[in-house]
Amino acid sequence: MNREASKMKQLSAFFQKQVMLNQKNLVGELFMVFLVIGLFWVAKFQQIADLKIETFRIQQSVQSSYLRYDAQSYSKTSKQGKMVQALNEQLSGTGKIDSGLLVHDASMILNGQVELAQAQLKSYSLDFAGASGLLIPTKEAVTGKLAVARKLQQVQGSPRVAIKTASDYGALLFQAIAVCAPFLIAYLVGDSWLVELEHQSVLRNMPVHFLGKMAAHVKANFQLSIGLFFVLPVVGLILLGIVIGFGDWNYPTAFTLINKITTVPSWLAGLLIAVYAVVLTVLMSVVAIWLNRLIGSFYATLLALVVVLTIVTFSPSLPAVFYLTPLPYLSIANVYSGHFLINDHLPIGWVTGLGMMLIWLMGILFVISRWGRAKNES
């Protein structure tokens, strides 16, 4: 028993070294380092998350759309007439935001944000009648902004107007991680189990059963994901906080837990996204092991995973039957933002996604373990 445990430790150390230091994964690790560091400078130079710039762009878009209408030719009860009213309300909201920024009045800014978000949602309900070129964020993003503005009104807080502190940047960083992580995970775990095929003469003689070998593979990927999606961003944000200030980590962030887009503190939103990414790594590691045992090709496995991720991430909606599979839950951004909740009217959020992934993970592990015993690899 002690001999098997010792061999298991050696095997885990071997796989951990393979995962951490192979050239392919070093590229992924460098990508995350550049994301954590580089996104801050991109955001600063491009003025991303700058409320004044965002408001100006919305005003330009609304005014451009407004010019396409002849307000006198539409009745107020028609769709086009109601859309003209919605455009007026958006202009009114952006005007209040501009005035609030000018006089540093937080309550005026929040009133403008609420009015703007409500008018944008009204535009969605009218199907943009005659204003198809209108610049409006996704419906779930607008709903999230409305939830944040109302929460700030409730607690008499001040709105975020630009990236000035580590907490401001942290919100943007974890949004980017939520989008990039599934594709990066597919790249990192795409060669899982292939080392078994490359070193059969050494690894086959180790007194470790099939599940033990698979656990060692998954553990190595699990440890790497914790480093990339939790430790690295936290260290980066701490260092940034020392330089420019930490800010308010309790600032509300739009988040979908189950069946409602609500708000959670910024630190909790980041933690939940990181936890989801780690669990997703475990699931995709097991799937990659299964695929590589079938086809034995990193490129074929990576292509299969990326194609599925692309379809799930960029599809406006999915057939209802898909929600019984793990596929929709592979997109972290769609799950926590409320994309499925808003577009497909299904109670899908962070809790639902995590629960479905764990259920499917247990099922896939059961099937693979039975397959391993059938192949006499125990």
Side-chain angles (χ1 to χ4, degrees):
M1 189 71 177
N2 289 335
R3 182 167 176 265
E4 183 175 347
S6 175
K7 291 294 183 182
M8 186 64 192
K9 288 182 180 179
Q10 292 178 22
L11 191 65
S12 293
F14 172 76
F15 287 142
Q16 187 175 357
K17 184 177 179 181
Q18 287 286 319
V19 167
M20 291 290 293
L21 301 179
N22 75 63
Q23 291 183 350
K24 175 186 75 68
N25 285 1
L26 282 174
V27 173
E29 291 160 15
L30 285 174
F31 170 81
M32 275 302 297
V33 172
F34 286 130
L35 178 65
V36 171
I37 298 173
L39 182 61
F40 175 77
W41 298 107
V42 172
K44 293 292 284 186
F45 286 119
Q46 294 297 319
Q47 296 179 304
I48 297 173
D50 187 303
L51 183 58
K52 185 176 181 179
I53 299 298
E54 289 181 355
T55 303
F56 174 75
R57 288 171 180 166
I58 292 172
Q59 286 174 329
Q60 293 291 97
S61 176
V62 171
Q63 289 169 354
S64 176
S65 295
Y66 194 84
L67 292 175
R68 300 175 190 174
Y69 290 90
D70 179 1
Q72 294 180 349
S73 65
Y74 301 117
S75 69
K76 291 184 178 181
T77 56
S78 68
K79 261 195 169 185
Q80 290 82 359
K82 291 179 180 178
M83 190 64 211
V84 171
Q85 293 175 32
L87 291 175
N88 285 329
E89 290 165 6
Q90 289 186 54
L91 287 175
S92 173
T94 56
K96 289 177 182 177
I97 294 172
D98 275 340
S99 298
L101 289 170
L102 186 64
V103 300
H104 304 288
D105 187 331
S107 64
M108 186 180 295
I109 295 173
L110 292 174
N111 289 336
Q113 288 180 321
V114 169
E115 184 175 353
L116 173 61
Q118 289 174 334
Q120 288 175 328
L121 290 176
K122 183 178 179 180
S123 300
Y124 270 105
S125 68
L126 295 169
D127 200 23
F128 303 101
S132 57
L134 189 63
L135 177 64
I136 292 184
T138 61
K139 195 173 182 179
E140 59 270 21
V142 175
T143 306
K145 289 181 178 181
L146 180 58
V148 170
R150 283 176 169 166
K151 180 65 176 179
L152 288 170
Q153 285 180 327
Q154 180 184 340
V155 299
Q156 297 183 339
S158 297
R160 181 177 285 151
V161 298
I163 295 177
K164 296 180 178 180
T165 65
S167 65
D168 298 336
Y169 176 59
L172 177 65
L173 175 61
F174 277 103
Q175 286 178 24
I177 289 174
V179 174
C180 298
F183 296 95
L184 181 59
I185 292 168
Y187 174 77
L188 294 172
V189 307
D191 60 350
S192 296
W193 199 260
L194 292 181
V195 67
E196 292 280 347
L197 304 179
E198 296 171 2
H199 302 277
Q200 289 186 26
S201 58
V202 176
L203 297 175
R204 191 175 292 277
N205 295 325
M206 279 193 170
V208 180
H209 53 74
F210 167 75
L211 282 179
K213 291 181 179 179
M214 186 172 71
H217 280 281
V218 174
K219 180 182 177 183
N221 290 330
F222 173 79
Q223 291 172 330
L224 177 61
S225 69
I226 290 178
L228 292 180
F229 303 126
F230 180 72
V231 176
L232 178 61
V234 167
V235 171
L237 291 170
I238 289 174
L239 293 176
L240 182 64
I242 293 173
V243 176
I244 66 173
F246 290 97
D248 180 13
W249 284 97
N250 286 317
Y251 189 90
T253 300
F255 208 93
T256 307
L257 291 172
I258 300 178
N259 61 353
K260 183 181 180 182
I261 297 179
T262 182
T263 61
V264 297
S266 289
W267 67 268
L268 181 57
L271 177 61
L272 293 177
I273 290 171
V275 169
Y276 200 99
V278 170
V279 175
L280 182 59
T281 301
V282 175
L283 175 64
M284 291 181 70
S285 296
V286 173
V287 171
I289 289 172
W290 175 62
L291 289 174
N292 282 327
R293 282 169 57 84
L294 282 175
I295 55 183
S297 169
F298 163 70
Y299 296 105
T301 296
L302 178 61
L303 178 62
L305 293 174
V306 169
V307 167
V308 170
L309 286 170
T310 302
I311 293 172
V312 169
T313 301
F314 299 105
S315 294
S317 63
L318 294 170
V321 68
F322 273 45
Y323 294 100
L324 298 176
T325 74
L327 298 181
Y329 313 103
L330 301 180
S331 173
I332 305 174
N334 284 353
V335 168
Y336 94 85
S337 69
H339 175 81
F340 300 125
L341 176 68
I342 294 295
N343 292 285
D344 293 328
H345 308 290
L346 292 170
I348 294 174
W350 186 89
V351 174
T352 318
L354 198 69
M356 288 296 291
M357 283 202 302
L358 291 173
I359 290 171
W360 274 93
L361 178 61
M362 295 300 104
I364 295 170
L365 282 173
F366 176 76
V367 172
I368 290 181
S369 65
R370 293 292 294 271
W371 186 18
R373 292 191 186 98
K375 294 283 187 180
N376 295 318
E377 292 189 38
S378 60

